[in-house]
Amino acid sequence: MTDKILKAKHWQLFFLLVGVPVGLFLTIGVIISSIIKGGTPPEPEDFFKLISIAKFFPLVMVLFISLIFSWFWSVAIGLQNNMPNSIEMKTTKFKIFSSIPLLYISGFCIFMFIALGKIKPQDLPQLPMEWLTPILFILHILSFFGIFYSMYFAAKTLKTAELQREVTFKDFASEFFMFWFFPIGVWILQPRINEMAEKNDVESNV
C-alpha cells in the first residue's frame, strides 16, 4: 500500500484525498436538502430519514482522515530507504504520534455514527463525564500535536531524502505548509515523491 501511494500520480492522489470525500459529502448534503424541501421543518417521517442519512457524515470523515494519514505515513516511512547512511530518523515517535489523532478522530466519528442512530437520548449509553471530559481534552490536545508532528516528520523526511543531509525546519518549512494545505500541496509534492520512489527502485535493482 505504501509503495502504491508513493508512486501514485498527483491527480490520482488529489482524487482520493479531496475528490472522493468532497463528492460523498456533497451527495449526502444534496439528499438532506431534498428531504428538507425548501427549508421548511421536516415532517416526522422525514426526520427519521434525515437522521439515517446524516449519520454517514462521520463515516466519510473516517475515510478522509484515513486517506490523509496514509499519505503522511507512506512518505514518512516509505522514503526511509532514501535516507543517507549517516542519518537515521526515529520513526517510532512518528508512529506513536500519528496513531493518536487517527484513533481518536476515528473513534469519535464512529461514536457519532452510533449516536445518530439512537433517536432518543435515553437510548445512548450513560458516560461518566466527570472523568471522561479531562481525558477527552488531553486526547484532543495530543491529537492536534500528532497531526502537526505527522506533517512535520513527513516534510522533514522528504527534504532529507532530496538533499541527502541533515535539515532544519527552515529547509523544509515550505514542504510542511504544503502538507498542511494538501489540496494544493499534493500537486507540488507528489511529483517529487514519485521521483524519490523511482530512485529507490533503481537503486534496489542495481
Side-chain angles (χ1 to χ4, degrees):
M1 185 65 175
T2 296
D3 192 55
K4 290 183 178 179
I5 293 178
L6 291 178
K7 295 179 180 178
K9 299 301 181 184
H10 46 72
W11 61 269
Q12 293 172 324
L13 211 52
F14 180 85
F15 175 75
L16 284 175
L17 298 178
V18 181
V20 172
V22 169
L24 291 173
F25 277 125
L26 289 177
T27 300
I28 295 173
V30 169
I31 295 173
I32 291 176
S33 298
S34 66
I35 295 175
I36 294 178
K37 299 174 183 177
T40 57
E43 298 295 329
E45 62 273 13
D46 290 335
F47 177 76
F48 290 99
K49 292 181 182 178
L50 283 173
I51 295 297
S52 64
I53 296 298
K55 70 180 183 180
F56 285 100
F57 272 114
L59 293 185
V60 177
M61 182 59 68
V62 171
L63 173 65
F64 170 70
I65 292 297
S66 299
L67 290 171
I68 288 293
F69 275 89
S70 294
W71 187 37
F72 295 160
W73 180 280
S74 297
V75 175
I77 303 300
L79 294 185
Q80 290 303 313
N81 292 332
N82 297 78
M83 295 293 109
N85 295 329
S86 59
I87 298 177
E88 182 181 357
M89 300 186 67
K90 298 179 180 179
T91 59
T92 302
K93 187 189 295 186
F94 164 78
K95 292 176 181 178
I96 294 172
F97 283 121
S98 64
S99 65
I100 292 174
L102 180 60
L103 294 175
Y104 173 67
I105 297 173
S106 297
F108 180 79
C109 289
I110 291 172
F111 174 80
M112 290 301 299
F113 173 76
I114 296 172
L116 287 172
K118 307 288 186 180
I119 305 302
K120 298 179 181 178
Q122 57 267 29
D123 293 334
L124 293 172
Q126 299 302 310
L127 301 175
M129 298 307 296
E130 64 276 2
W131 60 265
L132 188 60
T133 299
I135 292 177
L136 290 176
F137 176 76
I138 293 172
L139 286 174
H140 199 71
I141 298 300
L142 285 175
S143 293
F144 268 108
F145 177 80
I147 291 170
F148 283 106
Y149 186 81
S150 297
M151 294 185 292
Y152 168 90
F153 194 87
K156 184 177 182 180
T157 300
L158 175 60
K159 199 66 176 182
T160 303
E162 288 181 330
L163 298 181
Q164 293 292 295
R165 62 170 174 81
E166 290 280 0
V167 296
T168 63
F169 184 73
K170 181 176 66 174
D171 294 316
F172 61 89
S174 60
E175 284 78 11
F176 171 81
F177 286 106
M178 282 189 281
F179 274 112
W180 189 351
F181 300 101
F182 64 90
I184 298 173
V186 68
W187 297 93
I188 302 169
L189 294 174
Q190 193 61 19
R192 293 161 57 184
I193 295 169
N194 292 158
E195 185 178 346
M196 290 291 101
E198 291 171 4
K199 180 181 178 182
N200 187 36
D201 283 346
V202 171
E203 293 177 351
S204 300
N205 294 327
V206 172

